[in-house]
Amino acid sequence: MANTMVTQGRTFVALLASFLVYAIPLPGPHAAPLLGGALFGAITRSSGNALTLPTIVFAVAAQILTFLVVRWCLGEKRRLLLLVLYVPVLVVGTIASTLLLIPRAVLIAADDAADNLAWPITCSLKEASVQAVRSPAGGALGRAGEVWIRMGRDGSGFGLMHGDCTVTALTPPPTGTMHSLLFAVPGGITLESTWDVKTQQTYWWRRPSTTADATAVDSMPGGVDGPPILSDDGGWIVVVRRPRPPPASPELLLGRFSDGVSRVVDLAPLERGSFMPIGANLRLDSAGRLDEGTIQLSRSDEEF
């Protein structure tokens, strides 16, 4: 009877100890969530992603292994030293598996493409580098044969390189420093920003073409939540703003540059999220009024 109770007690302790697997922290750049919390968040967020199922399988396997090891080590006192050695191996193995091995196996495909070192050089530019600029979805800039570049030794200037390798340099906005190129649509239409150090204020600018000067966006509302974008034709600005602090839902503000006409789209039906506009294709009726359109948004890093 006593042996049975000891065995049952050892089994119960091993079972409780096995759940400590889900308390292993997973170090990240900004936080160290626990394995259990990370799995719960992945499962409840749109049924997880490609890493969720293999990570769950690993966690369950690690829990079963921990249960067996703890139960076996509790059988004799001299085995407890092995239990002390098992804990750091479990922690390091879990971190390495969930943050390195599983993502590498699931997300990285084998490189089976043949190397091609004979691509011809179309042109080369001194003191220039390609600048990644947000633009309408679908590779609109690429189809238009336009590539934005940084220019100068310090990379402070911007220019638009065309398919024939000619470059049109942008004239910086007249106010502020830290000139940034936020969004661009074909034709050299851009949305830019500068920062005024004295007033600690961001200025927004729209440029109708690369040969034109940047004009200030005076209608930028307060409470802007994230960087705005331009519509596909460059005629509208699309802004996510929060009229009230969270948990109040944000809203989408559409503003036309030509006449200041605006339209507000409520985002409450999309539930909560960190919304960011990606693209906007807005269509007008015969009278020039906003008729319909498609706006692409991201609600999180995984939901669009």
Side-chain angles (χ1 to χ4, degrees), residues 82-99:
L82 297 177
L83 184 60
V84 174
L85 298 176
Y86 171 76
V87 172
V89 173
L90 174 66
V91 173
V92 174
T94 300
I95 295 174
S97 298
T98 55
L99 299 184

Side-chain angles (χ1 to χ4, degrees), residues 244-256:
R244 297 180 304 278
S249 298
E251 59 187 16
L252 203 61
L253 178 64
L254 314 177
R256 186 159 57 185

Side-chain angles (χ1 to χ4, degrees), residues 178-232:
M178 297 176 64
H179 182 200
S180 299
L181 198 59
L182 301 180
F183 201 86
V185 299
I189 305 174
T190 60
L191 182 65
E192 306 168 24
S193 70
T194 56
W195 173 254
D196 189 354
V197 178
K198 292 184 179 180
T199 62
Q200 296 291 292
Q201 181 178 354
T202 298
Y203 292 99
W204 309 90
W205 309 87
R206 177 181 178 266
R207 194 183 303 265
S209 69
T210 53
T211 57
D213 293 330
T215 57
V217 180
D218 298 325
S219 58
M220 185 65 68
V224 175
D225 191 7
I229 68 170
L230 297 175
S231 60
D232 291 357

Side-chain angles (χ1 to χ4, degrees), residues 270-285:
L270 300 182
E271 301 178 354
R272 296 180 182 178
S274 299
F275 293 98
M276 179 178 292
I278 299 176
N281 184 6
L282 306 177
R283 294 177 287 277
L284 308 179
D285 59 16

Side-chain angles (χ1 to χ4, degrees), residues 130-145:
V130 175
Q131 170 68 18
V133 179
R134 297 179 65 203
S135 60
L141 293 182
R143 291 196 305 272

Side-chain angles (χ1 to χ4, degrees), residues 50-112:
L51 297 175
T52 303
L53 181 58
T55 305
I56 290 176
V57 173
F58 170 82
V60 173
Q63 182 182 4
I64 295 174
L65 178 61
T66 300
F67 169 77
L68 296 176
V69 171
V70 173
R71 190 177 184 278
W72 179 77
C73 290
L74 292 177
E76 295 184 15
K77 292 183 178 180
R78 60 182 181 180
R79 298 175 185 172
L80 295 179
L81 179 59
L82 297 177
L83 184 60
V84 174
L85 298 176
Y86 171 76
V87 172
V89 173
L90 174 66
V91 173
V92 174
T94 300
I95 295 174
S97 298
T98 55
L99 299 184
L100 179 62
L101 300 181
I102 294 177
R104 183 174 183 178
V106 174
L107 301 180
I108 302 178
D111 185 7
D112 55 2

